[in-house]
Amino acid sequence: MAEQQETRERWGMVVDLDLCTGCNACVTACAMENNIPWVGEEEAGYGRNMFWIRVQRTWEGEYPEVSPAYQPVMCQQCGRAPCEPVCPVFATVHSEEEQINLQVYNRCIGTRYCANNCPYTARSFNWYDYTYQIPAPMNYYLNPNVTVRRRGVMEKCTFCVQRIRAGQEQAKAAGRTLQDGEVIPACAQACPADAIIFGDLSDPESRVSKAARSQRGTTLLEELGTQPKVTYLKGGGYYGG
Amino acid sequence: MKKTLPWWLRPWVRVTAGLIVLILLGGAVGGIYLTQTVPQQPIQFPHNFHVGAGIPCLYCHPGAQWGPVAGLPSTQKCWGCHQQVAKTKTSPELQKLVAYVEKGEGIPWVPVFIQPEFVHFNHRPHVAAGVACETCHGDMKKVTVAQPIPRQNMGWCLSCHAKQAPEKWTRLSDCSLCHY
Amino acid sequence: MSDTISRRNFLKLSGLSAAAAVLTGCGPAARYVTRRPYYEMPEYAVLGESTYFATTCIECPAGCGLIMRTFEGRAIKAEGNPAHPVNHGKLCSRGLTGVQGLYNPDRIQRPGKRARRGNPTLEPLDWDTALGVVREALNGAGAGVAFYLGLAPDHLYDLVLELTQAIGAPPPVRFGALGMFEARATLVEAVRQVFGEARFPYFDLAGADVVVSFGANFLETWLSPVAYTRGFSQFRRTDGKKRGYLISFEARRSLTSGVADEWLPVPPGTEGQVALALGSLLQSRGWKVPLGAGQVDVEASAAAAGISMERLEQLADRIARAEHPLFLPGGQALAHAGGLVAARNILLLNLAAGNMGRPGGIFLSPSRPDSGSLRDVQALIEQMRAGKVETLFIHGANPVFELPPALGFTEALANVPRVISFASFPDETALQSDYVLPDHTPLESWGYQRTLAGSDRMIFSSLQPVVVPLYDTRATADVLLSAGKLPYNDEVTFLQSKLATLLNEPGVTVEATEIATFWARYLQAGGWWTQQAGLTTPTNQPDLQVEMAQGAAAPEGQFRLITYPTHLGDGSGANRPWLQETPSPSTTVMWNTWVEVHPQLAEKLGLKDDDVVRVTSPSGSIEAVVYLFPAIRPDTVAIPFGQGHTALGRWAEGRGANPAVLLGAQLNEAGDLAYGDVLVTLSPTGRRRPLSRLESRAGVYGEH
Amino acid sequence: MAVETQPVSPALNQPAREEEEALREQLMFDPRPREELNRMVMESMYSTSPRYWVAVGVLTALVLVCLVGMWGYMIFTGIGIAGIRKPIYWGVFIVTFVFWIGISHAGTFVSAILRVFKAEFRRPFTRAAELMTTFGLAAGALYPLIHLGRVWVFYWMIPYPNARWLWPNFRSPLVWDFLAITTYLLSSTIYLYLPLLPDLAMARDRTQGWRHAVYKALALGWRGTEAEWFRLRKAINIFAFAIIPVMFSVHTIVSWDFAVGQVGGWNSTIFGPYFIIGAILSGVSAVITILVILRATLKHMDYFIRPEHLDALGKLVLVFSMAWAYFFFNDYLVSWYGGYEVTRRILTLHATGPTAWVWYCMLFFNVVIPWLTLWSRKIRRTPWAMFIITVLINVGMYFERYTIIPMTLGHQRFPFDWGEYSPRLPEISIAFGTLCLFILLYLLASRLIPLVPVWEVREGQEAHKVVKVGKTVVPSVSELE
């Protein structure tokens, strides 16, 4: 194939809450892939944690019918993202190419306006040079494909854009198009229950498109009109069984 | 009435102000200069000679055709040719190479064309798109050790990307093309 | 270190990439970084691109397949091996943080001798001297040598087993906290009694439609958590089948019970009775349950478990309607005085359901359970105390930390003249050893791990070094082989000789006729396993009957204690900052130990969230922070296991409390610790220490 | 032009004299010779006691330690030393920013709006109010820098052609903010400067040494010719009209920082006027506070600043307090009646949460206190009472911003992610540091800049006369232009 067609993906994610066990493997996987620093006991408890994805655990009902509800929440990669217009320097911008929200760390000046305006609390701020405090040689495992963030910049889930880029690059070098399932973010890759499905929403046959069309599908805070790219499949025993 | 100059016209004020301006300017120039100096290489590698001898760039920097990093040659790669070259025995500069070979060590080259860690550059698409090496790296026929090209900044990247086909601009101007 | 490894010309690291990635970003100082290229480019390396190595995770004995991403000689990221039958590309938090073990700054970097036990400083030793010590120890009276091994890796156990046979020493004791918490010996013993073979059971969750779990935390640490989570995922999926229905009997709503469709908080220790009652009810619904002589008092059992008869009847209806009901005997149900009976009862329910060897049923795992029970450990402690052990080798376990102090291991250790630890980290046991001869960490090691209970087929999962060993450490297998007691040159020859038995087998992933090819392919694939599922169907139908199991209510003022392992595993994960920072799923607490108290109980005791409370059992007492947990029986409290280290490096030390202190030394019939029978009292200390939690207390519980 | 009138003879009948005495309480009807006015103002600038220098020294030290030092330390270690956290990304820094911007409103309001509406009582204190605007802005404008995570690249907010081919995002309220504040700072400084010209010239003519040089340079060669006066009046007039929309825009844009967002409790259409009214309320109160202090500390100020001024300003405060209450009620009612869960929770939290006292203090200081006290003419004319009341109003307004910003941010849509915020030392220190900076600037300016626009006072006094019509004495005002 001499000239490849420029294809444009629309990346999306589906989280099946009926399958999610709440085990937090996605949290750890994300941290290890994306060079997310840990912040220690005191800071983590004071809302300085750097999770790009976190599992919200809420309770439903009263004992003995009390039941935990787990919901992994990450950046929803909104189609109309509230974070984007408020950044004074275009550090968080919409990628027309990938249809996701980008956070350009080296452009960020740290107004934290985007984080205030994010209804999903999906953003984390580097209050200190956390990553630089990692004692050697533990910094050896830092992923060279992901920028190490310095203090004073905002960061958030990128749908593992480095993997998207690598996948596209690999496919292009081989002269083919991306296959469904070829690019998956670290959370979906690790998820032991396979509750996170990732793929191209513009391909109606992709696994994620099929899952997103499920009747159980809902998006978070739909009333805000943010057009999230993440669909949650509601769980619970009210159907089937 | 005593004839006095207003304070801003007094010589010492002007001299001091001039000095401050000079120091600031000098600092800025010096700082910029420091980022653009040619680093000290372990071997004064003559690019001009090798290019002149007809060796393609990709012979020593093969990574450029398939991946992000062009790569710097391993000791064995140099030795592959140089063990057959008579001059290896005589040239003092090449004795350093011999020493590395004997010690079985890699040569600690200092890369010249490097991007900050928040820029993810990939050679392959550029080579595939037919961008010649000298477009970005300068004419290696004219230098011995590689020299940095000043002002290779974001605008410099974009100025070339902007010249591509308009339908590619969305992709080529996407922030996540380089920054993630 | 084996010579074989030098074939890999790994890039020697100097100030390169990692440091470069970390240090640049600002300032002209970072403009130029010396880059040390290869002397000779390895054929597998592509510049600027990652190299992937297949290996096996031995953070727990389950043995999930790993694909390690390495970049310029550094291990970057653990990813699951998609082809591996145990985990199919999936991983848990523990496996994912493997690199934080490898690159842990608190690792023991070279062999050392301790002038005085308990003294944290090690006098450096060169390997020749160290090997001399080992040789001398092994040359002595064989009977005076004892080995204490952890649950992984398997190849080292095989080697030590051969070694002990060769020198006439008692077989190695293999024991770990994870096995203790899942009451492994009880489970295996129950399987032996019911099915005639001492094997691990393999439960086909994926094919079941109703699963009844008796305290099995199969989503957290039980047997092979990733495999069972995968099975659970299949079980729950609705693509072309009915959604699986999970019923859980457990006093505390654990992660597993959390996703259960029905959770019945029965008092710990009554699970066997519930199984009996269910069996009785199911018999009246046409099941052939081997009920014992005499009338089963269903109502009494239901009352003891605190379940209404209607509810129990409904459950029985649901189970009877199911096509593939499955009953799981978990550690919480088995770690009681009547644990073996409970395990048997639950397995007999499977038998009555006709689950043997059918999809959605129960199988016998191919590998031989070679871990011991706590009774074996007790025997070893007796030997040690009696001064009959001259040299104790410890590898892969941290008995000083994880065994209940009531067993007296630490005191018995004082009677052992020579303790040699192979620990990679300065843990509590290494601190009490005379010699520390650090092993490579798993990501630097060769080896294999057999499948445990997480797969439907036989697996030899391969371990290979993904990076050059960082420090002056040496493979324990090589250290032991250096004594010359076994006919192997080094670890790799040992491994190859073991694997040679697998040559020429058809229908397997690695088909080869000679060992070199086999070895290469085996390493590349991440192990050897059969292409087709192959499990033993338990056929033995013994003349066993469901029995009444004991179960007593806790006396007034005392509470049953549940101790459960978290993602810190057997406690060795406590030195991984990211495991510490990963929130506990059900409480979202990070970096500490808490005690889960039901709000009703807390109100009765006058306890508030974040109060420091003293938990006292007959064996000891600890202090922990109260977490008002709405999903636990009000007569039960729970404490997670894994924190409370007094050693093990900067991230583990002095953090939280170790509930092992509270566990007594009572064993059940199968020789497992009856930790479920421990009764504790709570007394406020008057201090407060806010727990670090992800959740907002105000938002979730409405407290301010 | 001045109307020809006969000066009233003091030897008139009793009632008329009493009335006249009553009128003489007003500055406009208590004229003094031009030279004496000038002398009084100059004296107030020259008279420095040791206490003054001690105050300057202490304040300088405080600014250096609390503001410069702490800010430097924060830049060095990271903004994490402040108490802000997820999800309360904006805390005391932004609160104080809004506070100072609010304070800075009154200068323009008092000066420009009152000038446009020809409110005569403005004359003696326009300068003081304008200075407050400029210094308030100077203190407030630091905060957008202080609160940045990476202040060293703040210039990326400035639109200029650069090597990155990047512009600031003009869709971002922060860029509007940046532009609005720069515009306001620039225009309010010019607006401060223009009426200052005749006074600087007056000072130039009465000083020697470095002061003379400075005033000479600053006075731009003002000679007081008719043409100059004509142009100056014209310029001031144009500016007075032009700066009003700028002033309204600034605080509206500050309110848009919040109102255009998604944050529950913020996106309210009424925030623009609500913020402006709040700003004017706090600003006018601050003017009163400052006038009381000036009157008590500066020489001859009791001549220029009289109870009548406090009285007039007090009435304004009362009106704006009512207006503020109206907007507050509007905002509250709509949120409450709307019943949207997020705002409902936030309103509940404000009123019943652990920091509800802040909310109650806000209402008490902003509504209850002024409504109870400012009706009384006597209280309005009592300097110390006005001082206490206006300080409390500013505390209340600070609490209002605190309620709106961190207390609202902490309780957004996911209760799981709520957070509690309490300011830490660096934030308090920096906020206190800017207060010191403001006072210090004012203190220095009080000895450098004529704090009373002499020419305006004189102009007013020339235009005001006490005229006797029949047996009664009436004030008369003539148009000057």
Side-chain angles (χ1 to χ4, degrees), chain A residues 18 41 57 66 132 141 193, chain C residues 22 100 233 243 253 692 695:
Chain A
D18 197 29
E41 179 172 10
R57 194 271 301 107
V66 62
Y132 285 66
Y141 78 76
Chain C
V22 175
Q100 292 205 324
S233 166
R243 176 179 179 276
R253 196 143 199 182
S692 181
E695 69 188 351

Side-chain angles (χ1 to χ4, degrees), chain B residues 59-72:
Chain B
Y59 184 77
C60 297
H61 306 291
Q65 358 173 28
W66 62 64
V69 181
L72 301 165

Side-chain angles (χ1 to χ4, degrees), chain D residues 407-419:
Chain D
M407 279 168 68
T408 300
L409 275 177
H411 291 73
Q412 283 301 308
R413 292 181 171 83
F414 295 142
F416 183 86
D417 296 315
W418 284 0

Side-chain angles (χ1 to χ4, degrees), chain A residues 18 21-22 28 36 39-41 45 57 59 66 132 138 140-141 143 163 188-191 193-194 241, chain C residues 13 22 69 74 90 93 100 233 236-237 243 253 255 318 578 581 585-586 592 627 655 689 692 695 701:
Chain A
D18 197 29
T21 66
T28 322
I36 302 177
V39 298
E41 179 172 10
R57 194 271 301 107
W59 295 103
V66 62
Y132 285 66
M138 207 177 252
Y140 277 24
Y141 78 76
N143 186 351
R163 292 185 174 209
Q189 189 186 32
C191 179
D194 207 11
Chain C
L13 275 171
V22 175
R69 178 181 166 210
R74 290 176 288 129
K90 301 303 183 182
S93 296
Q100 292 205 324
S233 166
R236 264 286 165 82
R237 268 174 212 283
R243 176 179 179 276
R253 196 143 199 182
L255 190 68
R318 186 179 280 278
W578 254 110
E581 184 119 335
S586 38
N592 212 325
Y627 183 102
R655 190 173 289 292
R689 189 184 188 291
S692 181
E695 69 188 351
Y701 298 114

